[in-house]
Amino acid sequence: MGPRRRVLKNAAAEANQFRSRSAIAFACVLLALAGLALWYFRLQVWQHADYATRSEANRIKLRPVVPGRGLIFDRKGRVLADNVPAYRIEVTPFEAGKTAAWLPALSQIIALTPEDIERFEDERRASRGFKPITLKLRVSEDEAARFAVDRWRYPGIDLVSYLNRRYPQGELMSHVVGYVARIDAEDMKTLGEGNAALTHIGKTGLERYYEEALRGKVGYEQIETNVDGRPMRQVGHVPASPGTDLRLSIDLDLQQAIVTAFGEFEGSAIAVDPRNGEVLAMVSLPSYDANLFVNGISSHDFKALNENPSRPQFNRLVLGGVAPGSTLKPLIALAGLDSGLRKPEDRVLSTGMFYLPGTSRGWGDAARGGHGWTDLRKSISQSVNTYYYRLALDMGIERFDDYMSRYGFGEPTGIDLTGEIGGILPSPAAKAKARKERWYPGDTVNASIGQGDWKVTPLQLVRAVAGIADGQLHGPHLVREQRLGFEGAWTPVAPPPAQPISPNPANVQVVREGMMAAMQPGGTGAAVARGAPYLMAGKTGTAQVVSRRGTAAVHPKSLPMHLRHRALFVGFAPADAPTIAVAIAVEGGGYGGSTAAPIARKIFDAWLLGKMPEPMPSDPASGPSPATPATVSPYPAGRGAGVRAERNDGAAGPATPAETVASGSNVPAHNVSVDPAVERSAVPSSALRAPVDNAQGRPSPGGRREPPAQPQAPEPTR
């Protein structure tokens, strides 16, 4: 090989090449820097809000602040519903992980029932994983202390303090105040996401009616946390608005007096101030402890309540209805005066039996042989049925219904409680709808003494009798005053507007005089008014539960408790300047004059004299008489026994055609003639002249069945 050729360097070319490469590299660096600058600009400017929010979310947690639920007081400031400090365990599923990883160990620290776990699993499946779910309410202080020590072992599980609802009066106020219970899925749909932090909501009574005002408005606080999620300090907050406190017109002493006066009897009673419609006391017996429902009632307690034939949860004041019996007579008398069909001095002859033209079976009066010539005042004081038979027929059912609806029957009173029924106003349309039957004159006769298809609530009765006492129909109401926050001033709650019960005050006065005479010697309620230092006005009544055949008088004490008549009383006192009006319905009480009226006397004494009553002795239930089949009810005789009656032939059903008069008027073949002495002494079952005809019970509100008040027989003795 020859010598290698030497290549000469081109300095200019190399310099050009270097400059080109340097320029390209510099451009790349500039582009990279520009991209980095744009990236930083994007992070720091364009997406600043997003990343700042994410950063704050890692450091700051929003914790809802549930407001204290409004308190409820009676008229004297005594607490009926308050809040007590408590702890609960909340779990955030997304942070806590699978249940199997932490539940067994947590169960060693906190006592968890199968119901607690089942409820938690149901809520976990139905909710989002990042929302806290309550595992257990009412954690004890010992459990809270043990959990606090091992809190770090359970991420996503927190011990939360809150205010738990409590009802210091227990059973005494449960049907009025009601109760709160845990929120379910249906409640959350109504409340919305803004109230997701709430755990309880009003379910019954005032708690439900005033739910929005009582619960207040949820607030929030911003909590700074460390890397472990533990709170360090509060950095901001939106204050919660407390719930509204309510002061009721209810007087706790009078409420207790009514319960004591009832003794072992079941039924309902309500007392109002006739001057303004304020409810002074209202009782439905038997009752229940509202505290059982606050944090979830146990299956054992729930079963015990549901299987109790006396239905403690059933509010007889707003949901229950009875035939009003003779308590309706003062109002029918007022309708006769206002319609111009009667004057106070107009008289009707009572011979003991009343017959429609063309009929051989009739309706009886309370006194054997009749009451003789009877004017309006006497018709009320001695409860003369014949006076009202004739008056109702002269009025006609259409005009009769018109006046009864003016007095508030057939529609709710509008009291501040949910679920109130309107009852039943007897009419041709109502009968055709219920039984597909036409209206007969005999139906009008039955309606004239508060029997037949009538169904009224104690609220309707007390509103009407308070209207007679005051001359104005006031809407009954419970809340007297309210305030926002503990430091707020109490402000009165405007009562519902009132309306005159009659365009002629003189007519009302005549009816008052008749009711006053009923409590004087010779009247049906004279015995209970004896010795009272004040004047009373009232009207006794009896609502029959079972029907009968023939002319036999069936004394209620010869029947099992659940088939006895309902004893009723309405009245007011002092009669010359009324400050209290009452309506009382005693289930299985027999007659109004012997059972309901003495209870009313004790209520009047408690309110007017401050004299608390002694318990009323209960009337032991009698066993079935020979005339009453032993299979009449699947329940034993006694308090709360039986919610359904059956016929003597063993088949449940209405009366047969043979039990009515085949005269074209379809007048029920039932009449009653009872000596007034019958009420004072029990009639032996062997003295009954006809068997009892037990008609099929009608469904009551809520799907329950109860023995109906029969339309065919007039009231025996008041």
Side-chain angles (χ1 to χ4, degrees), residues 524-574:
T524 58
V528 299
R530 189 177 299 116
Y534 51 86
L535 292 176
M536 297 184 207
K539 184 69 192 77
T540 59
T542 303
Q544 297 169 358
V545 174
V546 294
S547 176
R548 69 208 58 181
R549 296 191 185 101
T551 60
V554 180
H555 195 277
K557 290 186 178 180
S558 67
L559 299 173
M561 181 65 75
H562 66 285
L563 296 182
R564 295 183 183 185
H565 306 329
R566 290 185 175 95
L568 304 169
F569 180 86
V570 296
F572 51 89

Side-chain angles (χ1 to χ4, degrees), residues 327-339:
T327 59
L328 208 63
K329 288 177 180 176
L331 295 159
I332 300 174
L334 180 60
L337 295 176
D338 286 343
S339 64

